[in-house]
């Protein structure tokens, strides 16, 4: 059974979190993400969870990590400036393999930029924003339904890989209202428990250690310092650092095919749009307006780890076109993986590309 | 006094310098924990970054060694998500009052049910002895080579003003009193803040004519005046001796608290 409602993207994100069993939300208000905090403030206490308005974003992500170590599904939501503030502790979550979800409803930047305007300007920050080498997972919804579905999925991926997982949405999807189907219950995948006799940071075959939340009697020491499999600091041995950081990156990168989530339209096409988030809606409109097999579309619902194999689904592709709400961030990643020209169609200022704008570029490259 | 089973023996030797006061404060804290009868499985130690913040790494419980200044925010998440766990935070004066100042006042305001012990050595120890917000005016550090020119924070008074339910200050000299204060804090619902002034012979004493550990401890002892004595001096209209600080219980009250187990 399920129910259908007309709701805002941010509300759908909160509903997704609740359905996934999120029981802790720590946040700090920022446009255009605030409705997520507001919905959680209203709904979480009634669901037996904790909502807390922290003093800033550094505290928000810190509290989320603390709560996650008690075994609670925990989340925060923010927008660009707040996301920037979270960076140090996002690195901490990656280093300590803390499962948690961070929602970024992107707005125009840099700095306080355009609070009520959409952007996709944080796509590289969510991959590379904290210092050091690490890898994370980022999902990019393009509809209110996906705000629900991908939030649920983000919790599962965070738990399965013990990694901070990002829902990289934006003002358009966060504030749009659409119909959403909400199932009565969703299936959730919790972290694998730490096996008897295993060390707290000893990885299984998939590179992911079992999880022993606080209070389970395993006396786990968690530190952001380079540590060994016991969790004890080991900060000067090059091998210890190399082993740990390579594993943290590999556990995500080697599961790329498994994590990947994308949609393919017209795989035989010669001109292929590559999109994520709301620019995909304009591409869909263009394709509806002019049914034409020579135009293809690859829409990514997971952008990190980057599924470069998805580009190979278009064997006849002569050109890739990438409309993004930034000056060309993910286009670099696509360029890295293909020999064909990849044309960036950047747009900043807060508005989505119009179909006419995309058609104009299409005519040039077809 | 302290059962050895609270220590991670496989983590020894520890990183503290000879004569560092942090060990004394860890001992006092664990003695208080034992007095409380807390179980290891129900106790979580949290800390930020600094020499003091390394303490949880030597204790055999679940523990979270976090980022510089943020320990109280992490601890808030732990306690709010699992109110049945006892949460104890070790922090340094830099960790708590400089980078973590905002979290400090807000944790006190929320009065989250946990015990915060600040090992105040008046210096950034781990980074080699730079001035902190508690470095006394005139003191020499690597970033105050001509003597600290800024006023220092009174951490305990700050905690009182911000709303903590239990606040006390002692020093590494006052071992019995400190242990009692930590236990009293643990018994009090809400946030308890215990400032433990302590010696850092390596990075503070050396530069401030307190070369030996006994000299530093004697300095702490002789400059501490009991709250009752201070109050008497104030009542009698007499001046409080220059360079002294009050020790004892500064507040024990029952403001509404968060994260208290129901
Ligand atoms: C964001 C950040 N800034 C700076 C540092 C460097 N740092 C490490 S410990 C420390 C000071 C610690 O001083 P205190 O909290 O007084 O602890 P102590 O070492 O004296 O016990 C600093 C500045 C850091 N680790 N992280
Ligand atoms: S530097 Fe100071 S605080 Fe740090 S271990 Fe040495 S004596 Fe202790």
């Amino acid at each position: 059974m399920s129910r259908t409602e007309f709701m805002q993207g941010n509300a759908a994100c909160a509903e997704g979190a609740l359905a996934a069993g999120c029981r802790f939300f720590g946040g700090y208000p920022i446009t255009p993400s605030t409705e997520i905090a507001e919905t959680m403030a209203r709904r979480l206490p009634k669901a037996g969870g904790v909502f807390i308005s922290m003093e800033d974003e550094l505290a928000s992500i810190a509290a989320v990590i603390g709560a996650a170590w008690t075994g609670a599904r925990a989340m925060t939501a923010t927008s660009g400036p707040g996301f920037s503030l979270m960076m140090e502790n996002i690195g901490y979550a990656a280093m300590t393999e803390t499962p948690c979800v961070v929602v970024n409803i992107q707005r125009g930047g840099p700095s306080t930029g355009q609070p009520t305007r959409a952007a996709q300007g944080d796509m590289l920050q969510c991959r590379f924003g904290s210092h050091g080498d690490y890898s994370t997972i980022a999902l990019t919804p393009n509809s209110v339904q996906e705000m629900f579905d991908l939030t649920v999925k983000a919790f599962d991926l965070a738990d399965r890989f013990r990694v901070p997982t990002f829902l990289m949405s934006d003002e358009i999807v966060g504030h749009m209202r659409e119909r959403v189907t909400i199932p009565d219950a969703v299936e959730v995948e919790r972290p694998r428990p730490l096996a008897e006799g295993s060390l707290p940071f000893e990885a299984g075959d998939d590179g992911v250690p079992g999880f022993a939340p606080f209070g389970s009697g395993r006396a786990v020491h968690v530190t952001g310092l380079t540590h060994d499999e016991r969790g004890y600091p080991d900060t000067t041995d090059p091998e210890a650092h190399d082993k740990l950081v390579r594993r943290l990156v590999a556990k995500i990168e080697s599961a790329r095919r498994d994590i990947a989530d994308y949609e393919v339209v017209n795989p035989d096409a010669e001109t292929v749009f590559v999109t994520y988030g709301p620019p995909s809606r304009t591409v869909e409109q263009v394709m509806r307006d002019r049914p034409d097999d020579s135009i293809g579309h690859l829409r990514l619902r997971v952008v990190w780890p980057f599924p470069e194999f998805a580009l190979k689904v278009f064997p006849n592709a002569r050109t890739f076109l990438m409309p993004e709400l930034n000056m060309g961030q993910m286009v670099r990643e696509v360029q890295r993986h293909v020999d064909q020209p990849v044309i960036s169609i950047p747009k900043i200022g807060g508005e989505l590309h119009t179909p006419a704008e995309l058609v104009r570029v299409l005519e040039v490259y077809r | 006094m302290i059962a050895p089973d609270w220590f991670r023996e496989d983590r020894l030797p520890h990183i503290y310098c000879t004569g560092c006061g942090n060990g004394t404060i860890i001992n006092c804290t664990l003695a208080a924990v034992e007095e409380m009868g807390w179980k290891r499985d129900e106790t979580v130690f949290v800390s930020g970054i600094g020499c003091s913040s390394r303490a949880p790494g030597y204790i055999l419980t679940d523990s979270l060694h976090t980022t510089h200044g943020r320990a109280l925010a992490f601890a808030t998440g732990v306690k709010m998500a699992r109110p049945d766990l006892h949460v104890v935070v070790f922090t340094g004066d830099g960790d708590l009052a400089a980078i973590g100042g905002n979290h400090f006042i807000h944790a006190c305001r929320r009065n989250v049910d946990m015990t915060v012990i600040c090992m105040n050595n008046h210096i950034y120890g781990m980074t080699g002895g730079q001035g902190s917000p508690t470095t006394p005016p005139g003191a020499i550090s690597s970033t105050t080579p001509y003597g600290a020119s800024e006023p220092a924070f009174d951490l305990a008074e700050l905690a009182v003003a911000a709303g903590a339910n239990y606040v006390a200050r002692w020093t590494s000299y006052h071992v019995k009193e400190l242990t009692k204060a930590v236990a009293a804090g643990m018994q009090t619902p809400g946030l308890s803040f215990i400032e433990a002034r302590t010696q850092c012979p390596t990075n503070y004493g050396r530069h401030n004519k307190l070369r030996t550990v006994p000299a530093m401890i004697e300095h702490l002892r002789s400059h501490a005046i009991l709250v009752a004595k201070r109050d008497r001096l104030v009542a009698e209209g007499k001046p409080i001796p220059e360079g002294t600080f009050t020790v004892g219980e500064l507040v024990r009250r029952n403001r509404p608290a968060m994260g208290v187990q129901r």
Side-chain angles (χ1 to χ4, degrees), chain B residues 15-22 51-52 121 123 125-126 199-204:
Chain B
I15 61 158
Y16 296 135
C17 308
T18 308
C20 175
N22 291 353
C51 298
S52 34
N121 58 8
I123 203 90
M126 182 154 269
Q199 74 276 13
C200 169
T202 310
N203 283 322
Y204 187 81

Side-chain angles (χ1 to χ4, degrees), chain A residues 55 89 215 219-223, chain B residues 8 10 62-63 65 67 103 110:
Chain A
E55 52 273 20
N89 281 338
V220 178
H221 180 55
V222 181
T223 178
Chain B
R8 282 187 196 271
D10 59 347
D62 290 320
S63 48
H65 176 233
T67 46
H103 308 307
R110 291 190 185 104

Side-chain angles (χ1 to χ4, degrees), chain B residues 85-147:
Chain B
L85 296 175
H86 307 296
V87 176
V88 184
V89 178
F90 282 115
T91 178
D93 46 301
D95 194 57
L96 184 81
I99 192 165
N102 200 29
H103 308 307
F104 180 35
I105 56 176
H106 286 281
C108 290
R109 171 181 66 82
R110 291 190 185 104
N111 213 6
V112 187
D113 186 30
M114 55 194 185
T115 305
V116 181
I117 296 145
C118 178
M119 302 173 179
N120 181 0
N121 58 8
H122 306 280
I123 203 90
Y124 296 151
M126 182 154 269
T127 40
Q130 299 78 26
S132 90
T134 62
T135 301
I140 305 297
S141 77
S142 67
T143 51
T144 58
Y146 310 113

Side-chain angles (χ1 to χ4, degrees), chain B residues 67-258:
Chain B
T67 46
H68 192 33
R70 318 292 166 204
L72 291 171
F74 280 87
T76 299
V78 173
K79 186 66 190 182
M80 294 307 293
R82 277 289 301 272
D84 57 316
L85 296 175
H86 307 296
V87 176
V88 184
V89 178
F90 282 115
T91 178
D93 46 301
D95 194 57
L96 184 81
I99 192 165
N102 200 29
H103 308 307
F104 180 35
I105 56 176
H106 286 281
C108 290
R109 171 181 66 82
R110 291 190 185 104
N111 213 6
V112 187
D113 186 30
M114 55 194 185
T115 305
V116 181
I117 296 145
C118 178
M119 302 173 179
N120 181 0
N121 58 8
H122 306 280
I123 203 90
Y124 296 151
M126 182 154 269
T127 40
Q130 299 78 26
S132 90
T134 62
T135 301
I140 305 297
S141 77
S142 67
T143 51
T144 58
Y146 310 113
S149 59
E150 299 173 9
F153 258 142
D154 183 324
L155 300 179
E157 293 294 357
L158 192 56
V160 173
N165 260 355
Y166 180 90
V167 179
R169 172 162 48 217
W170 293 100
T171 76
S172 51
Y173 167 80
H174 301 92
V175 172
K176 284 209 178 93
E177 295 88 340
L178 178 59
T179 305
K180 268 199 197 138
V182 175
M186 287 169 171
Q187 275 154 20
T188 312
L191 193 138
S192 38
F193 177 70
I194 294 98
E195 179 185 344
R197 297 204 172 184
T198 183
Q199 74 276 13
C200 169
T202 310
N203 283 322
Y204 187 81
R206 220 156 35 99
H207 304 292
N208 288 288
K209 303 204 179 84
L210 295 163
R211 277 199 160 268
T212 66
V213 175
M216 286 205 80
I217 296 178
E218 170 52 27
H219 184 86
L220 289 170
R221 189 200 65 77
S222 59
H223 288 75
I225 59 169
L226 286 164
V227 180
K229 184 172 174 195
R230 178 201 63 183
D231 291 349
R232 202 169 59 234
L233 290 174
V234 171
E236 291 167 359
K238 290 186 184 144
I240 295 164
E242 188 93 18
T244 60
F245 57 93
T246 48
V247 293
E249 195 171 293
L250 300 186
V251 87
R252 192 198 294 234
R253 59 190 166 190
N254 196 15
R255 282 183 66 248
M258 282 173 60

